[in-house]
Amino acid sequence: MQVTNELVKESFDCKISKREITDRVDDLLDLETILKYCKSINERVYYEEDFLNIEIANGITIRDVLEFTQMDIFYGPKREQYLFLQEMISKNCKRKEQECDNENVIYCSCGKYQSSASNLQEYAFARQGYLEKIKKHEEYNDFMRTCFPNTIFSNDCEKELGKIQHFSKHVKEITKMLSVLDENAIEIYKKWQPDTSSAMAEIQALAGRECSNDPKHKETLIFEFECDDKSIKSIECQPHLKLIRRDSDLRIYFYWRDSKVGNGEKVLVGRIGRHTWKK
């Protein structure tokens, strides 16, 4: 699965937003989170040639900012805002040189704009919308790793996804539950720690699926994760969400976070699939 990320030029237009770009710092910061995330997963955000002609302030266009055609704006009272915009786009975006045949497009906007993502959470949801349409577990595994910005997956995930019976029937369920963990697990853990029982109860309420520990099989709940320094660490992922129904053999084993993985700010998913004691 591949997606094409595109800037919505109208979302920058001061005539549409009724605000100059230098007064929209919060919108720019939200957009920057998308651009930086795309760069971190080796994707670019594209813009078309006419994007450069969009007026972002009285008499000032995107081209003026990117190509320094009006140097006086960089010495005025809003110098920092213009420099921020210039750096954000030049470092993270690229002009589209030819039409793309890819139908999987995610539109990214500066501020709220129709049918587009204006912050990282909305962008992640857009990627997850494409993810849940994938029917083959190999393709799902590859694309899955770019759809959850607050999650790190173990090396075990790919192998176990291939053992899920009728995988295509469960794609939406898996995606939905991963989304719940990605969006909420870290904040819930911070809220309740060290009371992980209350944290699991809140995750359970949000997911609408039972969340519990599995102390009887803890020796099978060890999964390998790549640390920030590229070393490998074995981590016990005992909490798990039981997917579909309480007695199903499909579950997501996870751990709240680890200081050496994802800078301590990512939920860790050890396995998506069967009970860990099943070979």
Side-chain angles (χ1 to χ4, degrees):
M1 170 74 74
Q2 288 186 325
V3 299
T4 299
N5 308 297
E6 291 190 16
L7 287 177
V8 178
K9 60 179 185 288
E10 292 85 358
S11 68
F12 290 79
D13 195 326
C14 65
K15 296 175 183 176
I16 294 176
S17 67
K18 308 300 182 184
R19 298 166 65 199
E20 294 190 355
I21 200 69
T22 51
D23 296 326
R24 302 177 63 194
V25 174
D26 288 344
D27 291 342
L28 290 173
L29 288 171
D30 281 344
L31 176 60
E32 185 189 34
T33 64
I34 297 176
L35 305 185
K36 285 187 172 181
Y37 182 70
C38 288
K39 191 172 184 178
S40 75
I41 59 174
N42 298 316
E43 293 185 6
R44 300 297 292 268
V45 180
Y46 292 91
Y47 58 84
E48 296 184 345
E49 174 69 26
D50 57 355
F51 169 74
L52 299 175
N53 300 322
I54 292 296
E55 190 171 340
I56 55 175
N58 187 26
I60 299 171
T61 66
I62 294 285
R63 187 186 303 276
D64 293 329
V65 175
L66 295 186
E67 300 179 3
F68 297 100
T69 57
Q70 290 197 45
M71 289 301 297
D72 57 311
I73 65 175
F74 294 101
Y75 295 97
K78 298 184 176 181
R79 174 178 182 274
E80 294 299 324
Q81 292 93 319
Y82 284 119
L83 284 173
F84 174 71
L85 176 62
Q86 193 279 333
E87 182 176 354
M88 183 181 80
I89 295 178
S90 62
K91 285 189 174 182
N92 301 290
C93 303
K94 186 176 182 179
R95 187 185 307 182
K96 189 194 297 184
E97 297 180 353
Q98 60 185 23
E99 286 300 316
C100 181
D101 295 331
N102 189 359
E103 296 179 354
N104 306 322
V105 179
I106 299 180
Y107 294 102
C108 308
S109 61
C110 180
K112 298 291 183 182
Y113 200 83
Q114 54 189 10
S115 302
S116 60
S118 64
N119 57 49
L120 185 56
Q121 183 182 90
E122 293 173 357
Y123 179 77
F125 286 163
R127 290 187 79 91
Q128 292 159 22
Y130 287 119
L131 179 66
E132 67 179 16
K133 298 176 183 178
I134 296 176
K135 303 303 181 184
K136 296 181 179 180
H137 67 85
E138 302 96 337
E139 188 178 3
Y140 187 92
N141 172 74
D142 292 340
F143 192 60
M144 168 186 76
R145 296 170 186 271
T146 69
C147 296
F148 302 97
N150 304 307
T151 303
I152 291 184
F153 297 91
S154 78
N155 299 329
D156 181 83
C157 286
E158 180 176 9
K159 176 180 66 177
E160 189 59 29
L161 282 171
K163 297 180 180 179
I164 297 175
Q165 292 186 354
H166 310 298
F167 175 78
S168 62
K169 294 181 179 180
H170 304 310
V171 167
K172 287 189 176 181
E173 170 80 356
I174 293 169
T175 304
K176 181 180 178 181
M177 295 302 110
L178 287 174
S179 181
V180 171
L181 288 174
D182 185 76
E183 185 182 353
N184 302 287
I186 293 297
E187 290 306 313
I188 288 176
Y189 176 76
K190 289 179 179 178
K191 172 183 174 182
W192 290 107
Q193 78 171 123
D195 181 6
T196 55
S197 294
S198 293
M200 285 192 295
E202 186 165 345
I203 283 287
Q204 177 171 301
L206 286 171
R209 298 290 184 270
E210 183 176 335
C211 183
S212 62
N213 282 320
D214 189 6
K216 291 183 179 180
H217 301 102
K218 61 184 303 181
E219 70 279 359
T220 69
L221 303 174
I222 308 300
F223 303 96
E224 292 185 343
F225 292 86
E226 183 177 286
C227 298
D228 299 327
D229 64 3
K230 303 303 180 182
S231 64
I232 301 298
K233 183 175 182 180
S234 296
I235 298 173
E236 180 183 307
C237 299
Q238 188 171 153
H240 58 281
L241 280 171
K242 299 178 181 180
L243 308 190
I244 304 173
R245 60 184 185 274
R246 189 175 183 181
D247 62 342
S248 80
D249 194 26
L250 181 59
R251 51 207 51 221
I252 297 175
Y253 291 87
F254 68 95
Y255 186 64
W256 303 101
R257 66 176 184 178
D258 185 275
S259 62
K260 294 184 178 181
V261 182
N263 200 30
E265 293 296 327
K266 309 280 187 179
V267 61
L268 311 182
V269 172
R271 170 180 283 202
I272 306 165
R274 308 165 301 162
H275 286 90
T276 54
W277 43 268
K278 290 189 175 182
K279 302 298 183 182

